[in-house]
Amino acid sequence: MRLALFDLDNTLLAGDSDHSWGEFLCQRDLVDAREYRARNDAFYADYCAGKLDVVAYQNFSQAILGRTAPALLAQWQAEFMRDVIEPIILAKGEALLAQHREAGDKLLIITATNRFVTAPIAARLGVDTLLATECGMQDGRYTGQTTGVPCYQEGKVVRLNQWLQENRYSLEDSYFYSDSRNDLPLLERVAHPVAVDPDDTLRAVAEQRGWQVLSLR
């Protein structure tokens, strides 16, 4: 079965779910909006520039998970999905997922964003397999810190290779769709790399190497 891999933020979504989660917290006064927004924006700028300290960012982003009761987190999660994520799901992205699904391909979302934010999104998109940056758990609650290898840059390759070995898949004839320069390590390893509404760096690489460039907007 052929693999069809998809980045999530700014690929299947018309926005970044990680950064948007921070904005959601600020807009609902669930954090100190001024301080939190400044740090959230700075981390996002580093991400766009390809120089994010992913562990520092994830521990910043996940801190609120560790100090909030699971039932309240579930409520916030549902509101975030309804109010923020649903409006930015791209119809052409859903159509592309459907195209690969109908071809009999195995769909997989692979994202640097943490699992708390992205698991409901993958479920909404009908994608059963999600590789995301993991959230630490202890005794049924979030620890507030990330765990394992972050699913970012080369970390995506590490996490995917682990999954391939455990599930007996290969990258033969595989596709990977992404918007970001941060995904070049994985794009270089698949059979069919596709740049989706790419940032300037990825667009230049794609044009130089003859990769497909696609818009889902």
Side-chain angles (χ1 to χ4, degrees), residues 54-55 58 132-136 145-151 155 158-159 162:
V54 67
V55 173
Q58 283 297 326
T133 297
E134 297 297 339
C135 304
Q145 294 192 316
T146 190
T147 186
V149 177
C151 203
V158 172
R159 293 286 305 280
Q162 291 172 346

Side-chain angles (χ1 to χ4, degrees), residues 38-86:
R39 293 193 66 193
N40 196 42
D41 288 350
F43 278 123
Y44 187 58
D46 285 348
Y47 170 81
C48 292
K51 59 180 184 180
L52 176 67
D53 181 337
V54 67
V55 173
Y57 173 62
Q58 283 297 326
N59 289 340
F60 161 75
S61 178
Q62 294 186 32
I64 194 169
L65 305 182
R67 61 178 186 262
T68 306
L72 186 53
L73 286 173
Q75 178 185 324
W76 293 350
Q77 197 177 49
E79 293 172 0
F80 177 66
M81 283 295 298
R82 180 193 67 210
D83 298 341
V84 180
I85 296 302
E86 195 64 39

Side-chain angles (χ1 to χ4, degrees), residues 17-202:
S17 61
D18 222 351
H19 184 262
S20 295
W21 169 250
E23 277 295 304
F24 171 86
L25 297 175
C26 291
Q27 289 167 4
R28 282 160 175 74
D29 295 322
L30 301 172
V31 291
D32 181 322
R34 183 175 180 179
E35 177 185 353
Y36 195 99
R37 182 173 283 120
R39 293 193 66 193
N40 196 42
D41 288 350
F43 278 123
Y44 187 58
D46 285 348
Y47 170 81
C48 292
K51 59 180 184 180
L52 176 67
D53 181 337
V54 67
V55 173
Y57 173 62
Q58 283 297 326
N59 289 340
F60 161 75
S61 178
Q62 294 186 32
I64 194 169
L65 305 182
R67 61 178 186 262
T68 306
L72 186 53
L73 286 173
Q75 178 185 324
W76 293 350
Q77 197 177 49
E79 293 172 0
F80 177 66
M81 283 295 298
R82 180 193 67 210
D83 298 341
V84 180
I85 296 302
E86 195 64 39
I88 63 172
I89 291 174
L90 291 166
K92 289 183 179 179
E94 290 193 278
L96 182 60
L97 289 169
Q99 177 183 322
H100 277 282
R101 192 177 289 116
E102 290 164 9
D105 299 336
K106 170 66 176 177
L107 307 185
L108 189 152
I109 288 174
I110 183 164
T111 175
T113 301
N114 70 65
R115 184 172 294 275
F116 171 81
V117 171
T118 57
I121 304 173
R124 162 63 180 81
L125 293 172
V127 179
D128 296 333
T129 304
L130 169 68
L131 296 183
T133 297
E134 297 297 339
C135 304
M137 299 287 295
Q138 186 173 0
D139 300 327
R141 291 189 60 131
Y142 292 98
T143 64
Q145 294 192 316
T146 190
T147 186
V149 177
C151 203
Y152 173 67
Q153 293 184 341
E154 287 286 353
K156 281 195 177 182
V157 177
V158 172
R159 293 286 305 280
L160 179 61
N161 282 339
Q162 291 172 346
W163 183 88
L164 291 172
Q165 292 172 7
E166 292 167 1
N167 293 275
R168 297 186 179 181
Y169 281 89
S170 79
L171 292 178
E172 183 179 355
D173 203 26
S174 57
Y175 283 78
F176 179 39
Y177 297 87
S178 175
D179 71 292
S180 177
R181 64 193 287 174
N182 290 299
D183 284 336
L184 279 168
L186 183 50
L187 285 162
E188 291 171 343
R189 285 165 170 78
V190 298
H192 305 286
V194 184
V196 179
D197 299 294
D199 61 36
D200 291 343
T201 298
L202 178 55

